[in-house]
Amino acid sequence: MVAKRRLSKSADDDVAIAKDQSTAKKSKIGGRKLITSAEEGEVDDDTVFVQLLKTAGVILKYGNLPNKLTLDQAVFQKKLYQSLRKHARYPNVVQEFIRGMESYIENRDKFRNCLLPCGQYQEGESSNTMNYQESLIKLLLGIEILQPPVMNMLFEKIPEFMYDGVPEDGINLPRLIINQFKWLDRIVDSKDLTNKVLQLISVAPLEIQCDIITSLPEILEDAQHNKIAKELNSLLQQDTHLTVPILDALSSLNLRAELLVEVRHSVMSTLSAVKLDDLPVVVKFILHAITAADAIEVIRELRKNLELESCVLPCQLQASQGKQNQNAKGTSVSRENGSNDCVAIMFDVIKAAVRFQKVTAEAWIKAIESVDSAAEHKVIDLLVLLILHSAGASISKKQVEKLLRSKIRLDQIRDQLLQVAFRSHALVVREYFPSVLSLAQTLLRSPDISVVSFGSQMYKYAFMMFDSYCQQEVVGALVTHVCSGFTAEVDISLDVLTDLVSQSSSAMAIYAVFVKGILDYMDNLFPQQIRKLFFILSTLAFSRGLEGSHIQDDMHIVIRKQLSSAMSKYKRIGIIGAVMMVGSMACDRSKVDTCSSDVPAMSKESFRQATALLELVRSCSEHSPEAAALYYDEMANLVQKRNLDPQVQELIGRSVLDDFQEDFVVDLIPDVANKYLLPLKCMFNLDEEESEGGIVINLLPLLSNSLANASIDGKPSKQGAKKCVSPMSLASFFRLLRLCEEVQHDGNLEEIDALLGCPLHLTNLELVEKVESLSKQERELLCSLLFHAINWFREVVNGFCKLQDIEMKGKVLLRLQNITELQGLLEKCITATPGYVPPLANFDSEITEVPPTIVPAAAVKKRNKDLKGKRKQKSEGSKNSSTDSTQIEEPSEESQMPTGITQGKENNEEGKVFVNLANYRAYFRELDINVFFALQSGLVTKSQLDSELHTKVTEVVQLGSAELVFLLEDLSRKLDYMLAANVTKKILFLKVKGDRDVGFSHLRQMTPQQLAQFTLKLLNPLCNHLENAHNFFQASMAENNGVVDVLGSDVKEFQRMAACYQLLLQILNTLFAWCGFAQNENRKLLKSALDVLANRLKAGDGELGMEELFRQTFRYLQNFQSTIPSCASAVTLTQLLIVISSRSSDSQCKEKIATIARGFLCQSWILPTGEKEKGNKYNEALNTLLCIYLEHSDDVLKSVEEIAGVGVPELLNSTKEGNSRTFPTLTRQTFLVFYRVMMRQLDSSVKEIPSGTQSDSAEVQIEKLLRWNLAVRDFHILVNLVKVFDSRPVLGVCLKHGRLFIESFLKQGMPLLDYSFKKHRDDVHSLLKTLQLSTRQLHHMCGHSKINQDTNLTNHVPLLKKLLELFVYRVKAMLTINKCQEAFWLGNLKNRDLQGEEILTQRSQEESGGDEESQLPEDDMEEEVEEEENDECESDVRKATRDDEDSDSD
């Protein structure tokens, strides 16, 4: 013990020595300045104390002079000890010595001198003498016979000075006294010393307590560490002011592991009450005391108790209260800085721990990973992940990135947490900015939308919260993303830059030179991305006046260069850039800067530049129809924002109105000379009473002239030629005109309302019926004419759909009817015009999809016939094919035709082919969402007046089924595009997305929340139409005894109503499946939507809770199941009910969904023609329905057994075209669908059976055995069905899922049999025997696959045969474990086909059969079961050998 203390003293005494020495020097110097008397001499009296010290070598001094030591310290202690022991009055002389000392130190100055280091005697000083000497008290404590009384005396003296203020000499005597007990070579009575120290701590003031506690490791022996630790632990619970010194002391004590855990738990419990200044010390102690065994538990508890929110809030409260004082501002700032410093220090402690302790780093990862809800995640999780990412030594950065991506994808770490981290702890996050930037770059490249959004938020917060260096790095990283070439990465990076420019334009203007560099990479950008880029640059260039002049010049150069290009790609870039630049130049600052009332008007120079640029764009684009149309569309988008300067707006509106009338509108003349390729006829006039002096859209003449001009040289007109007026820009020009009128007249369109009802110069549409007799040029002209007419009507409907006038509403509905009528005619024309390419209608996107090539009906029919012939030959050539293998999915005519071609089922003429216009969606103008308000229209009366303004004719207009399908299809597409059902929707980086965005330019200007709010307004009319469709089919069922039968009814109307039913359900499903409803800010929106549907069932007086709303909505939608007209609609309704139930906690919904899905499976689905549904789409819908039924069933295994054991035998007993009575959807054509789903669900269900363990109770073992028995029985039934349904697809499904089933049985079933064999021998034997029959059939299937040399089937054989062999040895292992290995016998297995006939190889044919019979049983059993009387064990096993070799029996 002494040696140990000497070593520790030599190592750690420097600090204490330095402090005492500096204090002594300070007092010495100060004393000499204050004391000038002559009393500073030697103390010389006849007391034993003074005389013995003088004899031993210490000379006591008066005043501020230190006591002198004439000998070495050890020599002095030895001489004094001998003097006392050899004294005549020993041991009484010791008491006299102590009394003399007590008398001597009654004087404070003398006592102080005794506590301060002794000085050296200058005469005879040797070079070996130490420069520092201990104090007299410390030397006396080193003498054993003096130590106890001197200690007692010192402890008695400490209270005298406890409550003294700061003395004149500045020396703290209690602290000096405590220092005397440090690093003693030997302690005579350590227990007594410990008790006295504890007593002193209990009565001492706070400052003295801190000094004593901090000095405890240097005072006490190791034997007393555990005792003092317990006392300190209890003291810690009582007084949090002593937290820092106690933890300091505990960190230096040598404690037992159990006691350390107890202390740590106590410290952890007080963590929430610890002062902010003490937090780093507390965290450091907790992390310092971690071991590998308890690291995860400690970190989880630390993370749970560490509330960073409380570290910020108290300071804010104090700051708000401090504002009442005079110096409140300075106080609040200092406190806030102090809190930030403490938090930063705490994270430095964590950083040091994770960097140097791998166990701590891994524990943090596991602790964060174990949190499974967003509510439980804290800011510290995000900050620690940054620390772990920056440390990089003990844990990989990829592991942190993977964890963060997973948490974001599961919606457990959200943007709100990120915002709190940046706003409340910016100082901490700033320290790890490189990790922030690296993580943001990684997240932005993720294929998941939610992860990408989180990465973009990191960029935004880093720019807004950090200094200029970080801002520059953020902008540089975003520019790098934009130039990467990946579409999704470019889009999100430009969105982030747009947000930064909009929110912090002044800060972003400094870094405009970085953004300007993107101009060199515009070749790789889409038009939408180019629009964003020029918005960013023009905002930066014109938001700060002359400061952005250098960017303005560069943009002018780039735009002029692009506009002058002859290539349409670069001209498009120039047009978009110029319009965006005009938008920034001519921006109405009073509307943008609403906070300031004193905004200067647009200067004359700016007005001149804006108008000059507009004129330049117009002149450069007027010779190209595509360029002109793009210019009009871009200008329309600019005008729609309503933030242009009034001067510019007026100029644009005036020129647009004049140009439109001049270019596209002519007077209506009854008789017009026909000089065009097709006969001219005025069509679709809604204003018959105003025909005289009316106007007409000059469509056919313009189209004919445009085609004629384009074909003169085979290329567009050159620059400088006459202005080209083409109907291609008609719709775009009208959109610009309409928006200008709306902006200038506050939505009033009276000046142009004649365009809604005016006719068009078309041709006689009766030509469509004899289109095949027309020439190719005439057919193409007719198709283009119809495309332009449809696009004109679509844009007209866009323009006038918001008008509330009844007359206008009626005309809008009539225009919708015109659209559907023309679409029907267009389908026929395109069908008769192979190779036709429609005119463009959307000019801001690159259409890469080529319109489908039209194949003549005769060719399609011939190809189908050839395919059927080939299939027939192949079927006849198959040796083992049974007569019932008709369930092969034969592609229908519909699936074999090219995309866009469908068999015309409405027409009985065989071979008639029609076009699906959905494939031509890119060539139609986009419908605005306001058009869908037409869904609210009921019956609308349209009146026609005579010349005296009296009502002549009253016509009732309503929304027909064709128009309803038209609107619902477009609404469904829009919702699918914007409202993602899954927050982790994948982004395909390597796929060009241009075609997907075509037709959604206007929609992209809305947010998903805005679209959801708009759809909510349509819920009531949508429900009205849904109920109308329900009533339609209900009436049809009532007329036909409960069966939906359309024979003898209007087939077209039935088809349209069925399509409406399907689309309405799809719209509701897309709306309620939107992932945005999971966010708190959208909960009210969800509640409003549920209110609408719940009130349709029963209008409630009071407000319902969310759960009741879910139940009422579920019940309302459930009522539609009885009238569902098609299998696809049944799937949509079921999926909608699943979405509703997933947001509810009602446990009965699952059972109801299973019942509904089963009802749909037990229903015959009849087409409008009276035939049963069939084809690929029907099979897909049936597959989904069956999956839903089995997944929501209470017992999957019993449901599978019912279908396979009841439904399939019924099918086998029916005719070739028949079906199962229990499940009418189960036919020979759909057997493969049922079989695949049943095998897949069987595999999934057995994986959910827990593996057997030795600790399982008897009841648990029985339950698991019953589950496996049922699963094996189902598997046996399904495998044996291959003998009847032996088609190639069925064999493939059986081989694939059979292997998976055997694999699951080996992993989870065999351990159960190991522990259950002795108690449940018969059950185990029965289970293995049943499974053996299935594995034998699987072996036959492997042989069949090899004989037929089917590559798709033989790919499954090696893995399956390996598992079959492994199964044999696993059964042997089970018998060995249960000491029944004698019951195991192994033999060879013959190769057989599906029907059980032996497959003879060349070798087996040459050999005699007797040898084989000696090896295998006659009854073709693969194993021989031997009964053992002693063990009474039975086992059926077999070994599957390779087909191409014969092996000897073991």
Side-chain angles (χ1 to χ4, degrees), residues 95-123:
Q95 297 178 359
E96 294 178 14
F97 183 87
I98 295 300
R99 284 196 297 270
M101 181 178 178
E102 289 177 352
S103 174
Y104 179 80
I105 64 176
E106 286 295 333
N107 182 278
R108 186 183 184 282
D109 292 338
K110 294 179 179 179
F111 185 36
R112 180 198 62 206
N113 288 345
C114 293
L115 294 173
L116 292 175
C118 295
Q120 293 179 348
Y121 194 71
Q122 307 229 343
E123 295 179 2

Coordinates of all heavy atoms in Angstrom, one line a residue, residues 95-123:
Q95 N 2.0 14.0 24.1 CA 0.8 14.9 24.5 C 1.3 16.3 24.7 O 0.6 17.3 24.3 CB 0.1 14.3 25.7 CG -0.5 12.9 25.5 CD -1.1 12.4 26.7 OE1 -1.1 13.0 27.8 NE2 -1.7 11.2 26.6
E96 N 2.5 16.4 25.4 CA 3.0 17.8 25.6 C 3.3 18.5 24.3 O 3.1 19.7 24.1 CB 4.3 17.7 26.5 CG 4.0 17.2 27.9 CD 5.3 17.1 28.7 OE1 6.3 17.7 28.2 OE2 5.3 16.5 29.8
F97 N 3.9 17.7 23.4 CA 4.2 18.2 22.0 C 2.9 18.7 21.3 O 2.9 19.8 20.7 CB 4.9 17.1 21.2 CG 5.4 17.6 19.9 CD1 6.6 18.2 19.7 CD2 4.5 17.4 18.7 CE1 7.0 18.6 18.4 CE2 5.0 17.9 17.5 CZ 6.2 18.4 17.3
I98 N 1.9 17.9 21.4 CA 0.6 18.3 20.8 C 0.0 19.5 21.4 O -0.5 20.4 20.7 CB -0.4 17.1 20.8 CG1 0.2 16.0 19.9 CG2 -1.7 17.5 20.2 CD1 0.5 16.3 18.5
R99 N 0.1 19.6 22.8 CA -0.5 20.8 23.5 C 0.3 22.0 23.1 O -0.3 23.1 22.9 CB -0.4 20.6 25.0 CG -1.5 19.6 25.5 CD -1.7 19.7 27.0 NE -0.5 19.3 27.7 CZ -0.2 18.1 28.1 NH1 -1.1 17.1 27.8 NH2 0.9 17.8 28.7
G100 N 1.6 21.9 23.0 CA 2.4 23.0 22.6 C 2.1 23.4 21.1 O 2.0 24.6 20.8
M101 N 1.8 22.5 20.3 CA 1.5 22.8 18.9 C 0.1 23.5 18.9 O -0.1 24.5 18.1 CB 1.4 21.5 18.1 CG 1.1 21.7 16.6 SD 1.1 20.2 15.7 CE 0.6 20.8 14.1
E102 N -0.9 23.0 19.7 CA -2.2 23.6 19.7 C -2.1 25.1 20.2 O -2.7 26.0 19.6 CB -3.1 22.9 20.6 CG -3.5 21.5 20.1 CD -4.4 20.7 21.1 OE1 -4.5 21.2 22.2 OE2 -4.9 19.7 20.7
S103 N -1.2 25.3 21.2 CA -1.0 26.6 21.7 C -0.4 27.5 20.6 O -0.7 28.7 20.5 CB -0.2 26.6 23.0 OG 0.1 27.9 23.4
Y104 N 0.6 26.9 19.9 CA 1.3 27.7 18.9 C 0.4 28.1 17.7 O 0.5 29.3 17.3 CB 2.5 26.9 18.4 CG 3.3 27.6 17.4 CD1 4.3 28.5 17.8 CD2 3.2 27.3 16.0 CE1 5.0 29.2 16.8 CE2 3.9 28.0 15.1 CZ 4.9 28.9 15.5 OH 5.6 29.6 14.5
I105 N -0.4 27.3 17.3 CA -1.2 27.6 16.1 C -2.5 28.3 16.5 O -3.4 28.5 15.6 CB -1.6 26.3 15.3 CG1 -2.5 25.4 16.2 CG2 -0.3 25.6 14.8 CD1 -2.9 24.1 15.4
E106 N -2.6 28.7 17.7 CA -3.8 29.6 18.0 C -3.7 30.9 17.2 O -4.7 31.5 16.8 CB -3.8 29.9 19.5 CG -4.3 28.7 20.4 CD -5.7 28.3 20.1 OE1 -6.5 29.2 19.7 OE2 -6.1 27.2 20.3
N107 N -2.5 31.3 17.0 CA -2.3 32.5 16.1 C -2.5 32.1 14.7 O -1.9 31.2 14.2 CB -0.9 33.0 16.4 CG -0.6 34.3 15.6 OD1 -0.3 34.2 14.4 ND2 -0.8 35.5 16.2
R108 N -3.3 32.9 14.0 CA -3.6 32.5 12.6 C -2.4 32.6 11.7 O -2.2 31.7 10.8 CB -4.7 33.5 12.0 CG -5.2 33.1 10.6 CD -6.2 34.1 10.1 NE -6.8 33.7 8.9 CZ -6.2 33.8 7.7 NH1 -4.9 34.3 7.6 NH2 -6.7 33.4 6.6
D109 N -1.5 33.6 11.9 CA -0.3 33.7 11.0 C 0.6 32.5 11.2 O 1.2 32.0 10.3 CB 0.4 35.0 11.3 CG -0.4 36.2 10.9 OD1 -1.3 36.0 10.0 OD2 -0.2 37.3 11.4
K110 N 0.8 32.1 12.5 CA 1.6 31.0 12.8 C 1.0 29.7 12.2 O 1.7 28.8 11.6 CB 1.8 30.8 14.3 CG 2.6 32.0 14.9 CD 2.8 31.8 16.4 CE 3.6 32.9 17.0 NZ 3.7 32.7 18.5
F111 N -0.3 29.6 12.3 CA -1.0 28.4 11.8 C -0.8 28.3 10.2 O -0.6 27.3 9.6 CB -2.4 28.4 12.2 CG -3.2 27.2 11.8 CD1 -2.6 25.9 11.8 CD2 -4.5 27.2 11.3 CE1 -3.3 24.8 11.4 CE2 -5.2 26.1 10.9 CZ -4.6 24.9 11.0
R112 N -0.9 29.5 9.6 CA -0.8 29.6 8.2 C 0.6 29.2 7.8 O 0.8 28.5 6.8 CB -1.1 31.0 7.7 CG -1.0 31.2 6.2 CD -0.8 32.7 5.9 NE 0.4 33.2 6.6 CZ 0.6 34.5 6.9 NH1 -0.4 35.4 6.8 NH2 1.7 34.9 7.5
N113 N 1.6 29.7 8.5 CA 3.0 29.3 8.2 C 3.2 27.8 8.3 O 4.0 27.2 7.5 CB 4.0 30.0 9.1 CG 4.1 31.5 8.7 OD1 3.6 31.9 7.7 ND2 4.6 32.3 9.6
C114 N 2.6 27.2 9.3 CA 2.7 25.7 9.4 C 2.1 25.0 8.3 O 2.4 23.8 8.0 CB 2.1 25.3 10.8 SG 3.0 25.9 12.2
L115 N 1.1 25.6 7.7 CA 0.4 24.9 6.5 C 1.1 25.1 5.2 O 0.9 24.4 4.3 CB -1.1 25.4 6.5 CG -2.0 25.0 7.6 CD1 -3.4 25.7 7.5 CD2 -2.2 23.5 7.7
L116 N 1.8 26.2 5.1 CA 2.5 26.5 3.9 C 3.8 25.8 3.8 O 4.4 25.4 4.8 CB 2.7 28.0 3.8 CG 1.5 28.9 3.6 CD1 1.9 30.4 3.7 CD2 0.8 28.6 2.3
P117 N 4.4 25.6 2.6 CA 5.7 24.9 2.5 C 6.8 25.6 3.3 O 6.8 26.8 3.4 CB 5.9 24.9 1.0 CG 4.6 25.2 0.3 CD 3.8 26.0 1.3
C118 N 7.7 24.8 3.8 CA 8.8 25.3 4.5 C 9.9 25.8 3.5 O 10.0 25.4 2.4 CB 9.5 24.2 5.4 SG 8.4 23.6 6.7
G119 N 10.6 26.8 4.0 CA 11.7 27.3 3.2 C 13.0 26.6 3.5 O 13.1 25.8 4.5
Q120 N 14.0 26.7 2.6 CA 15.2 26.0 2.8 C 16.2 26.9 3.6 O 16.2 28.1 3.4 CB 15.8 25.7 1.4 CG 15.0 24.7 0.6 CD 15.6 24.4 -0.7 OE1 16.5 25.1 -1.2 NE2 15.1 23.3 -1.4
Y121 N 17.0 26.2 4.3 CA 18.1 27.0 5.1 C 19.2 27.3 4.1 O 19.8 26.4 3.5 CB 18.6 26.1 6.2 CG 19.4 26.9 7.2 CD1 18.8 27.9 8.1 CD2 20.8 26.7 7.3 CE1 19.5 28.6 9.0 CE2 21.5 27.5 8.2 CZ 20.9 28.4 9.1 OH 21.6 29.1 10.0
Q122 N 19.6 28.5 3.9 CA 20.4 28.9 2.8 C 21.9 28.5 3.1 O 22.6 28.3 2.1 CB 20.3 30.4 2.6 CG 18.9 30.9 2.5 CD 18.7 31.8 1.3 OE1 19.6 32.3 0.8 NE2 17.5 31.9 0.9
E123 N 22.3 28.5 4.3 CA 23.7 28.2 4.5 C 24.0 26.7 4.4 O 23.2 25.9 5.0 CB 24.1 28.6 6.0 CG 24.1 30.1 6.1 CD 24.4 30.5 7.6 OE1 24.7 29.6 8.3 OE2 24.4 31.7 7.8

